[in-house]
């Protein structure tokens, strides 16, 4: 749960440290090896990943209200993974004005950079943005950028974690 929403270079040291502390593993991969392995496996599954429940309906509702409301995706994923996910959901990705990935910013979530960049690309102030986020680090990131945030709790979080 601690690593949801983080980029590889942020979650890999946390993961490796956990395994060193709790499992006394001797032959751990490097951070780069772990990230590469993770991304290979993830990329193999990307075309099968389903949208978050309600995401497609939300995009369609916003588009039906007005084609003038800009829409962005701000994801910690790399652009290569987003491109693969996009092939499975092309019919509603066409309504997304810009996609900012973890590749596009220096600091990942929970830093505000990704949402500041998304607002900049949409040519709006971050305070004019409404963000839907499923990861705690993403909620923190959007709040730090000054955005209004709707937390869409990931079912892996406890009720106490959802309330924070």
């Amino acid at each position: 749960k601690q690593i949801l929403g983080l980029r590889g270079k942020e979650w890999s040291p946390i993961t490796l440290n956990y395994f060193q502390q709790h499992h006394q593993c001797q032959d751990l991969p490097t951070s780069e090896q772990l990230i590469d392995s993770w991304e290979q496996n993830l990329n193999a599954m990307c075309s099968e990943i389903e949208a978050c429940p309600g995401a497609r309906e939300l995009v369609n509702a916003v588009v039906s209200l007005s084609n003038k409301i800009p829409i962005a995706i701000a994801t910690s994923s790399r652009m290569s993974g987003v491109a693969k996910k996009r092939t499975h959901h092309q019919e509603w990705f066409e309504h997304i004005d810009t996609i900012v990935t973890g590749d596009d910013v220096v600091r990942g979530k929970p830093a505000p950079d990704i949402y500041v960049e998304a607002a900049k690309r949409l040519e709006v102030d971050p305070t004019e943005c409404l963000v839907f986020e499923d990861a705690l680090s993403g909620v923190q990131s959007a709040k730090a950028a000054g955005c209004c945030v709707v937390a869409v709790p990931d079912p892996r979080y406890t009720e106490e974690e959802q309330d924070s």
Side-chain angles (χ1 to χ4, degrees):
K1 295 177 199 174
Q2 182 183 358
I3 65 173
L4 290 176
L6 299 181
R7 297 182 302 179
K9 66 183 178 181
E10 282 114 15
W11 64 252
S12 60
I14 294 168
T15 302
L16 292 171
N17 185 46
Y18 178 87
F19 274 93
Q20 286 174 336
Q21 289 182 356
H22 294 90
H23 300 288
Q24 290 78 40
C25 295
Q26 301 300 320
D27 296 325
L28 290 173
T30 65
S31 282
E32 293 79 21
Q33 291 169 329
L34 180 60
I35 294 166
D36 287 345
S37 176
W38 173 263
E39 287 187 352
Q40 285 176 6
N41 291 321
L42 187 61
N43 284 341
M45 296 184 298
C46 274
S47 62
E48 301 169 18
I49 293 176
E50 293 299 322
C52 293
R56 179 174 287 128
E57 293 82 1
L58 176 63
V59 170
N60 289 337
V62 169
V63 170
S64 71
L65 289 173
S66 169
N67 280 330
K68 296 178 184 176
I69 298 174
I71 303 173
I73 292 176
T75 177
S76 295
S77 297
R78 299 180 93 175
M79 185 52 88
S80 59
V82 172
K84 289 183 189 236
K85 292 175 194 172
R86 189 178 191 151
T87 61
H88 188 58
H89 303 287
Q90 190 59 43
E91 72 282 355
W92 61 283
F93 262 83
E94 68 188 29
H95 300 296
I96 307 299
D97 298 296
T98 191
I99 299 173
V100 183
T101 69
D103 298 333
D104 298 323
V105 293
V106 174
R107 298 181 304 159
K109 298 173 184 179
D113 304 28
I114 201 160
Y115 286 106
V116 170
E117 179 62 24
K120 179 180 170 186
R121 291 185 189 182
L122 294 174
E123 299 179 355
V124 298
D125 190 89
T127 60
E128 297 175 357
C129 295
L130 177 61
V131 172
F132 293 85
E133 247 306 340
D134 64 342
L136 180 58
S137 62
V139 170
Q140 294 166 336
S141 174
K143 282 184 172 183
C147 303
C148 292
V149 184
V150 175
V152 182
D154 187 298
R156 292 173 284 194
Y157 285 116
T158 65
E159 219 173 286
E160 182 180 306
E161 290 168 322
Q162 291 177 17
D163 290 341
S164 67

